[in-house]
């Protein structure tokens, strides 16, 4: 790298020096508050304070070296502020990094996925039914620099925004849509939350609706409606069965009517079945045609 390129881009110069000291920095977006400022834009007084801080570190290095070297885990990043200004180059980590005594301050940010329960929300649906709905949200920090510099408390703001989004998303739907279209509602909430939390450096990974609690009176009414629907279906099925059975009996009677001996064989088969069950009483059916012939003789 030439001296001119290093002078035009101080972030590259600081990044190269950070690589020599073992620090790794995440890229810093343009819309971070104070992100356009760099250490080279400090005034003379600030430069003097930084020089004195370096001098203090050198003089007391055997004692302050353990106070100036910090370590962050693999899943953490450190956002460093020098004299109240955000250091260029983005977040530092994982591993060790160096801070100057008295003038540097840093904040640790956890990059692991975090889940939280949205408190139950009393929601008035589109068809004027009051329901209590709760959900669970999974999110992670996608940009630690933005999450520290652009928002005061990204975790609390994400929780409040999730509760508000849950109320807004379900308030425009009917009760049947809430009960039957949970996947679609969860996807819509995830996209809405992800778009709203993007300026905060937060990535919403998943939203799930846990439970929909209905009023007791509505539960009883829905149970009565479901019971009546089941009874109506049972009666229809029974009527269809009777109709099919009557048609089968008619077809069987037509077949027996074609051969009178078939009726006698049916009688003998019935007696065989009754005798197998060891019954003490046997009832012989009286053919209807015999009564008809008797009535004709009279």
């Amino acid at each position: 790298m030439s001296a001119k390129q290093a002078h035009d881009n101080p972030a590259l110069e600081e990044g190269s020096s950070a690589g020599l000291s073992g620090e790794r920095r995440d890229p810093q977006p343009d819309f971070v508050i104070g992100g356009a400022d760099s250490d080279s834009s400090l005034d003379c007084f600030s430069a003097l304070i930084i020089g004195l801080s370096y001098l203090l570190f050198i003089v007391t290095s055997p004692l302050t070296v353990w106070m100036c070297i910090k370590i962050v885990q693999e899943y953490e990043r450190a956002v460093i502020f020098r004299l109240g200004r955000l250091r260029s180059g983005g977040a530092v980590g994982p591993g060790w990094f160096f801070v100057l005594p008295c003038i540097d301050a840093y904040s640790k940010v956890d990059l692991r996925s975090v889940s939280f329960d949205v408190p139950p929300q009393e929601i008035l649906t589109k068809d004027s039914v009051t329901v209590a709905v709760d959900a669970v949200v999974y999110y992670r920090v996608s940009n630690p620099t933005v999450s520290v510099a652009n928002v005061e408390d990204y975790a609390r703001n994400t929780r409040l925004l999730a509760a508000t989004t849950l109320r807004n998303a379900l308030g425009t739907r009917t009760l049947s849509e809430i009960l039957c279209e949970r996947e679609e509602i969860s996807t819509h909430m995830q996209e809405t939350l992800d778009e709203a939390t993007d300026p905060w450096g937060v990535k919403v990974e998943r939203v799930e609706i846990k439970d929909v609690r209905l009023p007791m009176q509505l539960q009883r009414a829905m149970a009565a409606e479901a019971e009546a629907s089941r009874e109506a279906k049972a009666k229809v099925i029974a009527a269809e069965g009777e109709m099919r059975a009557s048609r089968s009996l008619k077809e069987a009677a037509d077949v027996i009517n074609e051969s009178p001996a078939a009726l006698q064989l049916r009688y003998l088969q019935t007696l065989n079945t009754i005798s197998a069950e060891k019954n003490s009483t046997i009832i012989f059916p009286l053919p209807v045609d015999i009564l008809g012939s008797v009535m004709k003789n009279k």
Side-chain angles (χ1 to χ4, degrees):
M1 180 187 299
S2 63
K4 183 177 184 301
Q5 291 177 344
H7 177 73
D8 295 339
N9 196 342
L12 295 177
E13 182 180 1
E14 183 173 354
S16 60
S17 60
L20 295 177
S21 62
E23 300 178 2
R24 287 162 51 187
R25 296 180 178 272
D26 292 339
Q28 179 179 352
D30 296 336
F31 54 86
V32 178
I33 297 177
D37 297 333
S38 60
D39 296 338
S40 61
S41 62
L42 300 175
D43 53 10
C44 296
F45 183 72
S46 299
L48 178 62
I49 294 178
I50 294 175
L52 292 176
S53 180
Y54 274 110
L55 180 62
L56 177 63
F57 170 74
I58 294 174
V59 172
T60 61
S61 58
L63 299 177
T64 58
V65 63
W66 305 111
M67 301 175 57
C68 296
I69 295 178
K70 306 296 180 180
I71 298 176
V72 291
Q73 304 298 328
E74 182 69 29
Y75 53 84
E76 294 177 333
R77 298 293 184 271
V79 181
I80 305 176
F81 294 89
R82 175 166 295 176
L83 293 177
R85 295 184 178 184
L86 182 66
R87 289 186 60 183
S88 60
V92 179
W96 65 273
F97 59 95
F98 178 79
V99 294
L100 290 175
C102 304
I103 64 173
D104 281 356
Y106 71 97
S107 298
K108 286 184 179 181
V109 180
D110 197 332
L111 302 184
R112 293 176 292 181
S113 296
V114 182
S115 63
F116 64 89
D117 292 328
V118 180
Q121 304 292 318
E122 295 288 338
I123 298 172
L124 183 64
T125 61
K126 189 176 180 180
D127 51 354
S128 302
V129 178
T130 303
V131 295
V133 183
D134 55 353
V136 59
V137 178
Y138 300 87
Y139 75 95
R140 61 179 175 84
V141 176
S142 59
N143 195 316
T145 305
V146 176
S147 64
V148 173
N150 283 19
V151 63
E152 179 181 1
D153 189 350
Y154 66 88
R156 179 175 178 272
N157 290 354
T158 304
R159 293 172 183 270
L160 295 177
L161 183 60
T164 306
T165 305
L166 179 63
R167 298 177 65 92
N168 295 337
L170 299 183
T172 58
R173 296 178 180 266
T174 61
L175 179 61
S176 60
E177 292 176 349
I178 294 175
L179 297 176
C180 301
E181 300 177 0
R182 291 194 179 187
E183 291 294 334
E184 182 180 350
I185 295 174
S186 299
T187 304
H188 173 69
M189 288 184 57
Q190 186 268 332
E191 294 175 355
T192 304
L193 283 174
D194 189 24
E195 182 180 357
T197 57
D198 186 63
W200 302 341
V202 175
K203 171 67 176 177
V204 178
E205 298 177 334
R206 191 176 183 87
V207 178
E208 291 291 340
I209 297 178
K210 293 175 58 178
D211 189 18
V212 179
R213 289 185 293 274
L214 305 177
M216 187 59 63
Q217 296 179 354
L218 183 59
Q219 292 182 15
R220 293 175 181 174
M222 294 178 66
E225 180 182 358
E227 184 178 359
S229 178
R230 286 194 299 269
E231 290 180 356
K233 290 181 180 179
K235 291 181 180 180
V236 171
I237 293 173
E240 291 178 354
E242 290 291 338
M243 181 179 64
R244 293 176 182 175
S246 62
R247 289 178 180 176
S248 300
L249 290 175
K250 180 181 179 299
E251 293 176 358
D254 294 338
V255 173
I256 294 175
N257 190 27
E258 294 177 358
S259 178
L263 182 59
Q264 187 65 25
L265 292 176
R266 185 59 180 166
Y267 288 159
L268 294 176
Q269 186 180 6
T270 304
L271 290 176
N272 187 21
T273 304
I274 294 174
S275 62
E277 296 178 359
K278 298 180 180 180
N279 294 326
S280 58
T281 304
I282 299 176
I283 300 175
F284 289 94
L286 183 63
V288 181
D289 53 353
I290 297 177
L291 294 178
S293 62
V294 172
M295 295 300 293
K296 290 179 180 179
N297 294 330
K298 288 185 179 182

